[in-house]
Amino acid sequence: MPEITLNCQKLPCPQPVLRCKALLDTEAPARCTVTVDNAPASENVARFLTSRGYDTSVHADPEGLWNIIAVRKDSAVAPSCDCEVMDARGIAAIAGTAEMPQKVTVFITSETLGSGDDVLGGKLMTNFLATLPELGDELWRIVCVNGGVRLATREHPAVTHLNKLEAMGVDILVCGTCLDHFGLLSEKAVGQTTNMLDVVTSLQLATKVIRP
């Protein structure tokens, strides 16, 4: 089968990842090249293809495009996203006979907690993140979107707590479109640059969602 080239320029998040998913689901190519026109999309596409059992390499060109070259491994691993869906279905199937394990997602949309005073709200958010380890193994993911992505940047006081949580095994997902909007792509210091498909999946598969 000839190599497939997928042009995903000018597509908003999460369309590049969704188009890659459709390609893999219908044709499962041994090799493909995906072209995007922004750094968050290149990270998201490369991470998705890797999760579906492909070796990936990202090449930026002088025209502001990124080409993600993906080659399927000889022994492809099961796609991580599909496995999570299977896990969720399995949990639902046995819910009547066994205790359902908790998967808590914390969905953060602002760098402050509450309204009324942003200085106080910033302190409260930092304290909130510092207290999250008390959830223990139930804490699965922290998803940062909109102004919440500032928490994951290099100079923010909260980044120390997010680094600690990531070291504990908590997934930290930071919206790439949001980072790009605020000009903070180069300032991200913790977590994975993510897309809206990951955000929706994180909310769908969680047994509980906390919105501070």
Side-chain angles (χ1 to χ4, degrees):
M1 178 183 295
E3 178 179 340
I4 295 176
T5 299
L6 194 62
N7 187 347
C8 294
Q9 297 178 56
K10 299 181 180 179
L11 294 180
C13 171
Q15 289 302 316
V17 172
L18 291 176
R19 288 196 60 189
C20 290
K21 183 178 185 300
L23 174 66
L24 269 55
D25 288 345
T26 57
E27 301 188 42
R31 179 184 174 96
C32 64
T33 297
V34 183
T35 301
V36 297
D37 56 9
N38 62 86
S42 71
E43 292 186 39
N44 285 320
V45 167
R47 184 157 54 86
F48 173 75
L49 291 169
T50 299
S51 77
R52 295 293 295 261
Y54 285 76
D55 288 321
T56 61
S57 58
V58 180
H59 305 271
D61 68 27
E63 297 181 1
L65 299 178
W66 284 258
N67 293 302
I68 303 98
I69 299 173
V71 180
R72 192 175 64 223
K73 297 177 183 177
D74 291 337
S75 299
V77 298
S80 61
C81 184
D82 290 349
C83 287
E84 288 173 350
V85 173
M86 290 295 291
D87 288 345
R89 291 171 180 167
I91 290 170
I94 64 172
T97 58
E99 183 178 354
M100 181 181 294
Q102 294 293 307
K103 294 174 71 171
V104 177
T105 289
V106 179
F107 187 53
I108 299 176
T109 62
S110 172
E111 64 178 321
T112 61
L113 182 59
S115 59
D117 187 291
D118 285 347
V119 174
L120 174 61
K123 293 178 180 179
L124 292 176
M125 179 60 79
T126 299
N127 291 339
F128 173 79
L129 294 174
T131 309
L132 282 179
E134 297 301 317
L135 293 178
D137 293 339
E138 293 185 358
L139 182 58
W140 175 44
R141 282 182 174 172
I142 298 173
V143 180
C144 298
V145 302
N146 208 323
V149 301
R150 294 191 178 96
L151 299 169
T153 55
R154 190 172 293 111
E155 301 298 328
H156 200 284
V159 75
T160 300
H161 302 297
L162 289 176
N163 274 312
K164 179 180 178 181
L165 289 161
E166 187 173 52
M168 292 170 53
V170 178
D171 292 339
I172 312 293
L173 304 186
V174 187
C175 170
T177 299
C178 306
L179 287 168
D180 189 38
H181 175 79
F182 293 118
L184 295 173
L185 281 170
S186 63
E187 296 299 312
K188 182 175 72 70
V190 64
Q192 302 176 13
T193 304
T194 194
N195 59 80
M196 195 54 66
L197 179 60
D198 285 342
V199 172
V200 171
T201 300
S202 298
L203 299 177
Q204 176 194 21
L205 298 183
T207 56
K208 180 186 295 185
V209 177
I210 297 175
R211 295 177 173 86

